[in-house]
Amino acid sequence: DNLRPELELLYELQNYDIRISDIREKISKAPSLVEDKKKSLEYRKMETESKKKNFVKLNSLKKEKETAFDSKEKSISVYSIELSSVKSNDVYKAVLLKIEKAKSDKSAIENEILELMDKIEKESVIVKSAEDELKKLEKKVKNDIGEFENFIKKLEKEVTAVETEREEHKLKISKTILMQYERIRDGRDGRGICFINDESCGGCGMMLRPQLINQSYKCHELVFCDNCSKILLQK
């Protein structure tokens, strides 16, 4: 009997298997793609939190400087009262030095507060921008994940439909040939049959013996590649 019609059906079956494999590969990659999206969002959240912490730190430092500023002002007031009541010239000079020192410290602290206020204002813009960008990214990631989930649902429906078609198609092929194909396919790259290309195996590229080529022309029996063991089919 000429096996060519059945081998052609077998090749069509392999096309079903390739489609199923490709779809399943896409499905298998989806979780990692979703995870990558989530990671990018988490990274952006961490960046935003870091900027917010820096903003809070600057405000906290400003409050500390303001407390120190108030402390210097109180010291100046205390020294001024003390200055009005001292009787010794040496003590008077000493208190006067304390006042000058306190005023100098107060002026330095005031400059530091002004610098901090400038930094806080700039940091406030940075934080606001980071928060806005984070909101945009959260929305985008949510939409992307939703699209991924819908895409996966479509792929799952598609693979179910192809598998159903495959099951119907394989009924046209004898169980003996089917078993040979499945055995080879499981041990190789998911393919069990290939065309002969210019006297070479279309699966592995190995040059074929003339005897195998002649046998494949006759199609009276299954012919296998000596190298990759795939079933050979003439174009």
Side-chain angles (χ1 to χ4, degrees), residues 16-31 151-152 154-164 166 185:
Y16 280 114
D17 289 330
I18 292 169
R19 282 177 63 193
I20 290 167
S21 178
D22 289 344
I23 296 168
R24 289 206 173 282
E25 187 178 357
K26 289 177 183 177
I27 292 172
S28 70
K29 287 180 179 178
F151 179 61
I152 294 308
K154 287 180 181 178
L155 288 179
E156 286 172 345
K157 286 182 180 179
E158 185 180 349
V159 79
T160 299
V162 177
E163 284 174 337
T164 300
R166 182 195 188 277
R185 190 172 74 90

Side-chain angles (χ1 to χ4, degrees), residues 21 78 97 107 109 126 138 151 173 178 181 195:
S21 178
V78 170
L97 284 172
S107 178
I109 293 169
I126 291 171
E138 282 176 329
F151 179 61
I173 305 166
L178 198 60
Y181 165 76
F195 283 117

Side-chain angles (χ1 to χ4, degrees), residues 182-193:
E182 294 289 1
R183 178 183 60 77
I184 298 165
R185 190 172 74 90
D186 289 342
R188 291 295 181 271
D189 53 1
R191 289 165 169 78
I193 185 171

Side-chain angles (χ1 to χ4, degrees), residues 134-151:
L134 179 61
K135 286 178 182 177
K136 287 179 185 177
L137 185 61
E138 282 176 329
K139 186 177 180 180
K140 186 178 184 307
V141 168
K142 184 179 179 181
N143 289 337
D144 287 347
I145 290 174
E147 287 178 6
F148 270 130
E149 289 172 347
N150 290 332
F151 179 61

Side-chain angles (χ1 to χ4, degrees), residues 65-167:
K65 295 296 180 182
E66 286 171 342
T67 300
F69 182 85
D70 292 341
S71 177
K72 291 299 177 182
E73 278 196 327
K74 288 176 183 177
S75 295
I76 292 168
S77 297
V78 170
Y79 293 148
S80 296
I81 294 169
E82 184 181 344
L83 190 66
S84 62
S85 62
V86 296
K87 296 176 181 178
S88 165
N89 193 43
D90 289 340
V91 174
Y92 183 87
K93 287 180 180 179
V95 174
L96 198 60
L97 284 172
K98 287 181 180 180
I99 291 172
E100 290 302 317
K101 177 67 168 59
K103 284 181 177 179
S104 177
D105 290 344
K106 176 188 167 185
S107 178
I109 293 169
E110 187 175 23
N111 288 333
E112 289 175 350
I113 289 171
L114 290 171
E115 287 177 7
L116 283 168
M117 287 174 69
D118 184 53
K119 287 181 180 179
I120 287 168
E121 186 178 352
K122 290 176 180 177
E123 201 66 28
S124 175
V125 174
I126 291 171
V127 170
K128 178 67 168 59
S129 176
E131 287 177 333
D132 290 344
E133 288 299 318
L134 179 61
K135 286 178 182 177
K136 287 179 185 177
L137 185 61
E138 282 176 329
K139 186 177 180 180
K140 186 178 184 307
V141 168
K142 184 179 179 181
N143 289 337
D144 287 347
I145 290 174
E147 287 178 6
F148 270 130
E149 289 172 347
N150 290 332
F151 179 61
I152 294 308
K153 286 177 183 177
K154 287 180 181 178
L155 288 179
E156 286 172 345
K157 286 182 180 179
E158 185 180 349
V159 79
T160 299
V162 177
E163 284 174 337
T164 300
E165 289 178 25
R166 182 195 188 277
E167 288 303 304

Side-chain angles (χ1 to χ4, degrees), residues 20 35 94 186 207 231:
I20 290 167
E35 194 60 33
D186 289 342
M207 287 292 294
I231 298 167

